[in-house]
Amino acid sequence: MNHWKILGIEATTDKRLIKLAYTEILKKTSPTEFPEEFKDLRKAYELAIKEAKRPAKNEDKAPNQVFEDEHEKKGVINESFFDEEEPSPAPTEVEIVQPQPIELNCIRSISELQVALNELYCNVLSRSDVEQWKLLFSSPLFWDVDQSQQVSFTLIDFFSENYFLSATVFKFLDESMKISSELVTNKNNHYRELAIALHHYIQSLPLRIDALSNIDHNISFEQLQQHLQLRNLIEEQCIYSKLTAEQLITLMQRINLVFYNDESLYLYVANYLWTLGANTEISKLLASLPEPTDASIDQLRDLQAHAEFKLKNYDTALTIYLAQRELMKSFYAMNMTKEIGLCYLHLKNYEKAYTYLNSYFYTSPEDIDLRSALIIARRYYIKDLKKNEESNALKIATLQFENGRYQDALITTQTYPLIFHADCNYLQALCLAKLERLDEAFDVFITFINLHLQKQIDPWPLLVDLFIYCPDSIDFNLIMETIAKKIQPSPNKFYKTPRMLGSVQENVYSQLELKTLDLPATDHDGKPNKPKGYALYADLDYKQQYAWAMLHALMAKLANFEDKTIVKQIKQAAIYAIKQAMPKITHQPNWSLKFIHIAFDIDDFDTCIKLANITISEFSNLPQTYYYKGRSLAALDQYDAAIPILILAADKYGHQRLGIYSLEFAVECCEKLVEHGQPMHPNYNDICLKLQTTKEIVDAQSK
């Protein structure tokens, strides 16, 4: 192996040239990526150094090399010797030269590293910039294998005393220096202990105050250092001690005025106080801060408003919430819509309380506390509206329906029929359906459908409700002559936005709501502004899928098609639609009842079993669900699982013909087990006896 060729230099006794060549190639030869190449490079370096140290006659050496060798023996290296061929003349005037900042990516010695670390750490602007630290760690010194241990010890020494850095910077330092993975097991006791201490500090960073925020970079480093030490004291006490609210406030009173905009500190303390339920202390602490001019400290103001709300200072809380919303310039960017509504509710402004709470309900319908508050707001809002009942009849009936007061809403619609007819509102039909007066509801639905057909208005929104509430009232003529001809030919034409209750109009904000919520009348596309009801969009889609499935199920049931292929295609379309609505069916078990037999008829046994399980979860006494589930399991050769289900179906059918069929299929499953080489079912004889007894009873009843 030619070591000089590997190093890419001519043979030389100048060890500086050898080290420089080695360092340059090492940058491109990572030990982890190129282990063999690194091994050869290291061996070449060692051979070159060994050769450079070999004794030689002085006359064979250049004069410069003799001088260097003599100084090396004494442990002295004059690095400036080779830079000057002749001594410089003595200066006639003393010139004071300001020290130039060290370039972070050009560090070559430990002394330069120590200077660079101090300069970077003491720079208020750059200390938390991880890119600056990456630049430092890219300098040649960090590629020098001979100095790697000393570099690690220098860094450990420095960071053990100067650790007020952001979590992002410390994450980079930990990965680069391998503090947590290697240095904590160092053989040097002193540096191992320092590394362990730094490791624990790094581990606790998620619980500490992170980087400084909104700090004036013109302040002195001494002030910053004092402030950081106070922050460290606060976070240490919060992490490892049980500070009381009073003790924490006492510490916060020591904050220098120039650091009153240290958002991360105040947010940290406010969150800690919140966990203690110290709402009074939060109110006092944050009330002392300057008024915000932008949305940068919205979390602090939110906490302040929440604390005021907890203290029942609803006026103060509302003022902060509204000011925050104004700063954000976007109603939907705020997470405080609910709180604004609750403030209005406590202040007995029921109209605004309803408007805000109802608007937020569109995005969070699962919030039980919100639902409860909304019901209360509606109730009192209705009382206010009833002071002029005739003028507000439409709104009153809608609010009553939303609150589940279907009988009251029905009475309102019947009291003012002209108002509701003029607005094409069919709340009356919905109320009748909710009250299980399905025949009456069906008649009102048909009246409105005919009205829309006369005006050439799309009747699909009404048909969705018709299929949901009154599917059993739909006959052959209606479905074939009216419905099938008027609906869209594809589910792709489904409505994507919810509608106002009792109306075919899309759910858009009223003029009053737009004014109250300070919203534009149209969105950026010029279309009417709509509530952001993402949850309701999905609910609307499920309902339409169910209605689409019901349409095809009724077509297959009512229409006498001679072509069996057409019937099967219609049933397949129905099952496809119900699969799309399956997530919602889980919460509407009665929907699945209409489709179990269809899935079985087209041999979709997996879907049949899923639908049966959904139904059984709510209606445990319906024998047909067990019958179809048992038959489907048998069709999938799951005879052991099918037998007890079919016996359950027989028990629930009792002395009916379908009870006999259930037991016959159970017996057949027992025999299938034997055909497949399995033992006979232990209850086979009992099932046969039960079948015989049931047959005798049913035959006797039929005579």
Side-chain angles (χ1 to χ4, degrees):
M1 179 180 73
N2 188 331
H3 48 280
W4 298 113
K5 187 175 181 180
I6 292 175
L7 291 171
I9 58 175
E10 296 292 332
T12 180
T13 56
D14 189 340
K15 288 188 284 186
R16 290 184 305 169
L17 290 177
I18 296 171
K19 290 181 180 179
L20 182 61
Y22 170 75
T23 303
E24 287 298 317
I25 299 174
L26 182 61
K27 293 179 182 179
K28 306 172 186 176
T29 313
S30 169
T32 55
E33 294 181 12
F34 309 99
E36 294 301 323
E37 289 84 349
F38 173 77
K39 201 178 295 181
D40 292 340
L41 176 64
R42 183 65 189 177
K43 189 173 182 181
Y45 170 77
E46 290 172 352
L47 287 172
I49 291 294
K50 185 177 180 181
E51 189 171 318
K53 290 180 178 179
R54 191 173 298 159
K57 294 180 180 180
N58 286 352
E59 59 268 16
D60 295 333
K61 297 181 181 180
N64 289 347
Q65 186 63 36
V66 175
F67 186 88
E68 181 181 348
D69 286 351
E70 292 300 321
H71 279 69
E72 280 191 353
K73 290 176 184 177
K74 299 175 184 178
V76 178
I77 297 178
N78 188 342
E79 295 187 359
S80 65
F81 179 84
F82 303 103
D83 297 334
E84 300 177 3
E85 296 182 2
E86 296 180 3
S88 302
T92 57
E93 184 179 342
V94 177
E95 181 181 355
I96 299 176
V97 180
Q98 293 294 333
Q100 296 297 316
I102 292 181
E103 293 187 30
L104 294 178
N105 60 342
C106 298
I107 307 301
R108 295 180 179 275
S109 67
I110 296 297
S111 59
E112 288 182 346
L113 175 61
Q114 291 170 332
V115 173
L117 286 169
N118 277 292
E119 284 186 0
L120 183 51
Y121 186 80
C122 294
N123 188 316
V124 178
L125 184 61
S126 302
R127 59 189 291 123
S128 295
D129 184 357
V130 72
E131 296 302 321
Q132 296 295 315
W133 293 97
K134 288 180 180 179
L135 194 64
L136 173 63
F137 274 62
S138 69
S139 59
L141 178 63
F142 288 84
W143 297 93
D144 190 338
V145 174
D146 289 343
Q147 300 195 70
S148 61
Q149 187 179 53
Q150 188 59 40
V151 169
S152 293
F153 289 166
T154 301
L155 292 171
I156 283 288
D157 274 329
F158 181 82
F159 290 121
S160 65
E161 296 179 359
N162 304 276
Y163 47 83
F164 299 128
L165 295 167
S166 68
T168 307
V169 170
F170 253 119
K171 181 181 178 183
F172 166 73
L173 294 175
D174 192 26
E175 292 172 353
S176 302
M177 297 168 57
K178 298 181 172 54
I179 300 171
S180 300
S181 58
E182 293 182 11
L183 292 180
V184 293
T185 60
N186 195 280
K187 293 180 180 179
N188 185 305
N189 289 336
H190 172 69
Y191 290 107
R192 182 175 67 251
E193 289 174 3
L194 292 181
I196 290 172
L198 273 176
H199 167 70
H200 288 309
Y201 182 81
I202 293 167
Q203 292 296 104
S204 67
L205 277 175
L207 302 175
R208 295 175 180 270
I209 310 167
D210 203 356
L212 292 167
S213 56
N214 301 323
I215 297 300
D216 184 356
H217 299 303
N218 295 320
I219 64 173
S220 67
F221 179 73
E222 289 71 20
Q223 285 180 306
L224 176 64
Q225 192 75 350
Q226 290 174 3
H227 181 64
L228 291 173
Q229 289 171 350
L230 180 56
R231 278 169 53 118
N232 185 67
L233 174 62
I234 290 171
E235 63 189 14
E236 290 282 327
Q237 293 293 317
C238 288
I239 294 173
Y240 301 112
S241 303
K242 292 184 179 180
L243 279 181
T244 64
E246 293 76 12
Q247 290 171 331
L248 187 51
I249 291 296
T250 301
L251 284 174
M252 290 298 293
Q253 289 171 349
R254 293 165 56 185
I255 299 294
N256 190 312
L257 288 174
V258 298
F259 295 104
Y260 270 12
N261 56 350
D262 184 357
E263 176 192 347
S264 57
L265 171 61
Y266 280 91
L267 184 59
Y268 182 90
V269 172
N271 278 316
Y272 184 86
L273 291 171
W274 182 264
T275 64
L276 299 178
N279 299 307
T280 302
E281 286 73 12
I282 293 174
S283 175
K284 291 178 180 178
L285 175 70
L286 301 184
S288 64
L289 297 181
E291 288 296 321
T293 56
D294 54 41
S296 62
I297 56 173
D298 59 294
Q299 288 181 287
L300 278 174
R301 291 306 179 192
D302 286 354
L303 273 172
Q304 184 183 5
H306 296 336
E308 297 292 354
F309 186 90
K310 291 282 188 181
L311 294 170
K312 299 184 179 180
N313 299 326
Y314 302 116
D315 278 320
T316 305
L318 179 60
T319 300
I320 299 172
Y321 284 135
L322 292 175
Q324 282 292 91
R325 183 178 146 234
E326 181 64 25
L327 286 174
M328 291 295 289
K329 302 297 182 185
S330 172
F331 180 77
Y332 293 111
M334 304 300 291
N335 295 322
M336 58 190 65
T337 312
K338 172 184 173 182
E339 283 73 16
I340 292 175
L342 291 174
C343 285
Y344 278 123
L345 181 61
H346 286 287
L347 294 171
K348 299 184 179 180
N349 188 332
Y350 302 116
E351 180 181 5
K352 287 190 174 183
Y354 166 76
T355 303
Y356 277 93
L357 294 173
N358 191 55
S359 179
Y360 189 74
F361 180 73
Y362 283 111
T363 60
S364 187
E366 73 286 349
D367 189 330
I368 300 301
D369 292 335
L370 171 65
R371 189 185 294 270
S372 175
L374 184 55
I375 289 172
I376 295 171
R378 282 201 203 102
R379 185 185 305 148
Y380 285 102
Y381 187 27
I382 291 170
K383 287 184 177 181
D384 289 344
L385 291 171
K386 280 192 172 183
K387 295 172 183 177
N388 192 351
E389 185 169 338
E390 185 171 357
S391 299
N392 297 317
L394 179 58
K395 186 172 289 186
I396 290 171
T398 303
L399 294 172
Q400 289 171 330
F401 185 88
E402 289 178 1
N403 255 11
R405 292 169 55 185
Y406 306 123
Q407 185 63 45
D408 292 341
L410 178 61
I411 292 172
T412 303
T413 62
Q414 292 171 337
T415 305
Y416 306 101
L418 295 178
I419 293 175
F420 290 92
H421 187 277
D423 286 284
C424 294
N425 188 298
Y426 61 110
L427 261 176
Q428 188 177 97
L430 294 176
C431 291
L432 289 167
K434 291 289 188 180
L435 293 169
E436 299 293 328
R437 294 162 60 175
L438 299 181
D439 289 339
E440 297 173 72
F442 178 78
D443 292 338
V444 181
F445 276 128
I446 295 302
T447 299
F448 276 102
I449 289 172
N450 290 333
L451 179 64
H452 282 69
L453 291 174
Q454 291 171 14
K455 295 182 177 181
Q456 296 184 335
I457 301 174
D458 182 8
W460 176 245
L462 306 181
L463 293 173
V464 171
D465 289 327
L466 182 66
F467 282 121
I468 289 174
Y469 294 112
C470 308
D472 296 332
S473 301
I474 299 174
D475 58 20
F476 175 80
N477 288 331
L478 178 62
I479 199 168
M480 299 305 296
E481 298 300 325
T482 302
I483 297 174
K485 292 180 180 180
K486 297 299 178 182
I487 64 170
Q488 297 288 350
S490 168
N492 294 331
K493 300 296 183 181
F494 285 167
Y495 279 74
K496 299 301 180 185
T497 55
R499 303 180 308 278
M500 295 288 289
L501 283 173
S503 173
V504 292
Q505 304 300 318
E506 287 187 345
N507 200 358
V508 299
Y509 285 112
S510 68
Q511 291 300 317
L512 178 62
E513 289 172 321
L514 291 172
K515 181 179 179 181
T516 303
L517 301 174
D518 192 22
L519 295 173
T522 57
D523 59 20
H524 60 277
D525 294 325
K527 297 179 181 178
N529 212 333
K530 302 170 185 175
K532 309 296 182 183
Y534 301 109
L536 294 184
Y537 292 162
D539 185 71
L540 176 64
D541 191 53
Y542 292 141
K543 286 183 178 179
Q544 293 183 96
Q545 290 287 356
Y546 171 78
W548 185 259
M550 278 303 307
L551 167 64
H552 288 81
L554 289 171
M555 287 175 65
K557 176 182 178 182
L558 299 176
N560 186 19
F561 295 105
E562 294 183 0
D563 190 340
K564 300 301 181 184
T565 304
I566 295 177
V567 176
K568 186 173 182 179
Q569 289 175 349
I570 294 173
K571 290 182 178 180
Q572 285 175 334
I575 291 299
Y576 171 79
I578 205 62
K579 282 181 178 179
Q580 301 303 307
M582 191 73 77
K584 188 63 178 180
I585 291 175
T586 304
H587 305 289
Q588 297 281 355
N590 58 314
W591 283 11
S592 62
L593 281 171
K594 308 290 183 182
F595 302 96
I596 293 176
H597 69 283
I598 296 177
F600 185 81
D601 288 347
I602 63 172
D603 299 336
D604 190 346
F605 302 117
D606 286 328
T607 301
C608 186
I609 292 169
K610 288 179 182 177
L611 292 169
N613 287 337
I614 292 170
T615 307
I616 290 170
S617 68
E618 182 71 18
F619 309 106
S620 58
N621 291 319
L622 295 177
Q624 62 267 37
T625 56
Y626 296 95
Y627 175 78
Y628 281 114
K629 181 179 178 180
R631 291 289 307 275
S632 296
L633 288 168
L636 295 172
D637 297 336
Q638 298 179 32
Y639 303 114
D640 265 331
I643 292 169
I645 300 298
L646 289 168
I647 294 173
L648 267 175
D651 291 341
K652 294 182 183 301
Y653 274 122
H655 301 142
Q656 300 181 42
R657 185 66 58 184
L658 284 172
I660 295 175
Y661 296 158
S662 300
L663 290 169
E664 286 177 343
F665 283 114
V667 171
E668 185 178 324
C669 287
C670 294
E671 294 168 352
K672 288 287 186 181
L673 285 174
V674 177
E675 289 180 18
H676 285 75
Q678 298 181 41
M680 176 60 74
H681 194 277
N683 296 330
Y684 175 72
N685 292 331
D686 293 338
I687 297 171
C688 291
L689 181 61
K690 187 172 184 177
L691 172 60
Q692 183 61 37
T693 303
T694 304
K695 280 183 176 179
E696 291 174 358
I697 295 173
V698 172
D699 289 341
Q701 289 177 344
S702 61
K703 292 180 181 180

